[in-house]
Amino acid sequence: MSFSRNISEEKIITVEIKDVSAEGYGVGKLEDGKIVFVENCLRGEVVEATLQKNRKNYCEAKLKRVLKPSVYRVGPQCAHFGLCGGCRLQHSDYSEQLYIKTKIVKDALERIGKQFVDVIFPIEGSEKVYDYRNKLEYAFTNRAWLSTEEIQTGETFDRRGVGFHLPGNYAAVLDINRCHLMEISNQIKNEIKAFAIKNDYSFFDIKQKKGLLRSLLIRRTNIGEIMTLVAYYEPDEMKINLLMEHLATNFPFITSLQYVINSKANDSIYDLEPVVFKGTAYITEQLGRFRFLIGATSFFQTNTLQAEKLYTIAKNFAQLTGNENVYDLYCGVGSITLFISDACRHVAGIEQSKQAIEDAKKNASLNKIENVSFYCGDVGLLLKEEFISKHGTPDVIITDPPRAGMQKEVIHSLLNIKARRIVYVSCNPATQARDIGLLSESYDLKAVQPVDMFPQTMHVENVALLELKEA
């Protein structure tokens, strides 16, 4: 069902949505057979949309109104839905979110990896679909993004804000009143904003590179510890101390209160040394029976409850008996390394980040685990004959690379090593499928288990089991 007409020089289309893309767009087809992508739509809907871009093989449209809603459509909880870009599935009920994410995994494996697996276990859903994150990062701005409706009022707005960068436009920051993914962050963030405006603190200007308040990091753990780190662009000692003391007084439950001066061109604080204003430099997280020290610059899965499920699945896929020599590639702070350590003979973790390796060693010591070792270096460069000769040929390899997937050098090494089993954990089904396709000359894909780490968003984690082909 589709037709189009011109109204006030706008091209309006009416289309039936048949599917949802991996990017979160509703997918339909026009009468001429051209595919159309429409934002914020669900399968089974008939919508009216304004054509935005008309390409050779597809077009993009902006939703104007829903003529026939999907049975899966629900009212989004967040007032920022449609602008923020983070929770692109808030208009969908949770069962449909899980369907969409399972399909993303299956489509990537078949289309990109040319893999047709018989065993795709039902996606592991999340018990908490809101307030599940353990970390959020906010940006301060002196020019908060205004909606079309706000601009049309002609009013003058105070554009100092604290929020998230808009997708596709990093210079634009949407002021966020309430994020439903981490409720504790809202009261801290909003208090900082109110104090800063009352005391005439300057907010960061991303284009002119000036302003005192630059960014805010808030972490929490499932045992109740909270970290708050404020990043300042300018070293105004008096104003910094006033705000930090205000936070210490008004939020005594903050376990680790820190700040950092970041006058660099980028927002990253991972190469800077934060100052502990109050409390400790680390907070402690519990994952299964293991405890992890998490610093301001530590990487840790941002959904702790689902991370435990994810690692349990990886451990089960590894089929460990207690005698295996295991390599954990891209091991980060050693969370998977330590989680599987009680089921194998030895685990060697490899990670490029020096800070992450230091954290991994601290976590091993904290948990009194001795059958693990950690090595800092580029996985592609380190995973060579010398390393294998020294640490032994692995029986099982677990790999959890960044979104870009594994380097070609790593794929080549894995094909040469020929471990009996590879467990591939990924936050990007597309690059995972690509890598599995490259490994298929020596490995069969035996099982797949998607895990929903981030309800309301398009992101999905996936665990794949690969077994060495019989000679």
Side-chain angles (χ1 to χ4, degrees), residues 5-25:
R5 64 186 186 276
N6 289 320
I7 298 178
S8 303
E9 299 183 349
E10 282 188 340
K11 190 166 187 180
I12 307 298
I13 61 172
T14 299
V15 62
E16 182 176 2
I17 303 300
K18 297 290 190 179
D19 207 345
V20 176
S21 73
E23 294 76 28
Y25 293 93

Side-chain angles (χ1 to χ4, degrees), residues 96-153:
E96 180 67 359
Q97 292 185 31
L98 296 180
Y99 167 84
I100 292 169
K101 295 184 182 190
T102 301
K103 189 174 184 299
I104 288 172
V105 170
K106 187 173 184 292
D107 286 351
L109 287 170
E110 294 180 356
R111 181 173 52 85
I112 300 171
K114 310 302 180 188
Q115 301 293 305
F116 299 88
V117 61
D118 292 331
V119 182
I120 296 185
F121 291 104
I123 186 170
E124 186 70 59
S126 177
E127 294 177 15
K128 298 181 69 174
V129 296
Y130 287 103
D131 196 28
Y132 60 79
R133 288 188 66 98
N134 59 36
K135 174 188 173 186
L136 274 182
E137 295 179 79
Y138 293 99
F140 291 90
T141 179
N142 67 340
R143 291 181 60 80
W145 182 263
L146 295 180
S147 67
T148 302
E149 293 74 18
E150 288 173 323
I151 294 173
Q152 290 174 345
T153 65

Side-chain angles (χ1 to χ4, degrees), residues 27-287:
V27 182
K29 188 177 288 187
L30 300 180
E31 288 180 344
D32 60 4
K34 184 178 287 188
I35 297 295
V36 58
F37 297 98
V38 189
E39 61 180 5
N40 301 334
C41 294
L42 299 170
R43 59 177 175 144
E45 294 190 323
V46 178
V47 303
E48 192 174 73
T50 307
L51 194 65
Q52 301 285 298
K53 297 178 182 177
N54 196 353
R55 308 298 190 191
K56 182 179 180 181
N57 298 318
Y58 70 94
C59 54
E60 298 176 12
K62 183 176 182 180
L63 179 65
K64 190 175 181 68
R65 61 187 176 122
V66 177
L67 303 176
K68 175 190 172 186
S70 167
V71 295
Y72 308 111
R73 180 171 285 273
V74 297
Q77 285 198 20
C78 184
H80 306 292
F81 176 74
L83 273 177
C84 172
C87 298
R88 301 196 66 170
L89 289 176
Q90 269 200 37
H91 61 310
S92 167
D93 74 16
Y94 191 52
S95 66
E96 180 67 359
Q97 292 185 31
L98 296 180
Y99 167 84
I100 292 169
K101 295 184 182 190
T102 301
K103 189 174 184 299
I104 288 172
V105 170
K106 187 173 184 292
D107 286 351
L109 287 170
E110 294 180 356
R111 181 173 52 85
I112 300 171
K114 310 302 180 188
Q115 301 293 305
F116 299 88
V117 61
D118 292 331
V119 182
I120 296 185
F121 291 104
I123 186 170
E124 186 70 59
S126 177
E127 294 177 15
K128 298 181 69 174
V129 296
Y130 287 103
D131 196 28
Y132 60 79
R133 288 188 66 98
N134 59 36
K135 174 188 173 186
L136 274 182
E137 295 179 79
Y138 293 99
F140 291 90
T141 179
N142 67 340
R143 291 181 60 80
W145 182 263
L146 295 180
S147 67
T148 302
E149 293 74 18
E150 288 173 323
I151 294 173
Q152 290 174 345
T153 65
E155 296 179 24
T156 300
F157 293 88
D158 184 343
R159 296 180 66 181
R160 289 173 290 182
V162 194
F164 302 132
H165 297 280
L166 291 179
N169 187 357
Y170 193 79
V173 175
L174 179 68
D175 187 40
I176 299 292
N177 179 54
R178 178 184 178 187
C179 178
H180 293 264
L181 301 188
M182 188 178 174
E183 294 289 0
I184 189 65
S185 72
N186 296 308
Q187 56 180 294
I188 297 173
K189 167 187 62 68
N190 291 341
E191 182 59 33
I192 292 175
K193 176 184 175 182
F195 179 88
I197 290 176
K198 179 181 178 181
N199 292 277
D200 200 28
Y201 281 36
S202 57
F203 287 40
F204 191 57
D205 188 314
I206 195 169
K207 292 185 176 180
Q208 297 188 25
K209 292 292 186 291
K210 65 178 184 179
L212 177 61
L213 291 163
R214 184 167 189 175
S215 63
L216 173 66
L217 166 69
I218 301 175
R219 289 183 182 266
R220 65 169 175 185
T221 69
N222 61 6
I223 61 174
E225 296 188 2
I226 294 174
M227 173 184 290
T228 300
L229 181 144
V230 185
Y232 300 90
Y233 185 73
E234 300 166 351
D236 188 326
E237 186 175 339
M238 184 185 75
K239 285 191 172 181
I240 290 173
N241 284 332
L242 280 174
L243 175 53
M244 301 307 289
E245 191 60 52
H246 180 77
L247 289 174
T249 301
N250 284 269
F251 301 105
F253 54 78
I254 293 179
T255 314
S256 174
L257 182 58
Q258 304 183 42
Y259 71 89
V260 68
I261 308 298
N262 180 12
S263 55
K264 301 183 305 170
N266 60 66
D267 287 341
S268 173
I269 64 168
Y270 292 93
D271 56 344
L272 302 174
E273 191 67 35
V275 176
V276 177
F277 186 84
K278 175 196 171 187
T280 58
Y282 290 85
I283 54 176
T284 306
E285 182 60 286
Q286 184 84 30
L287 196 64

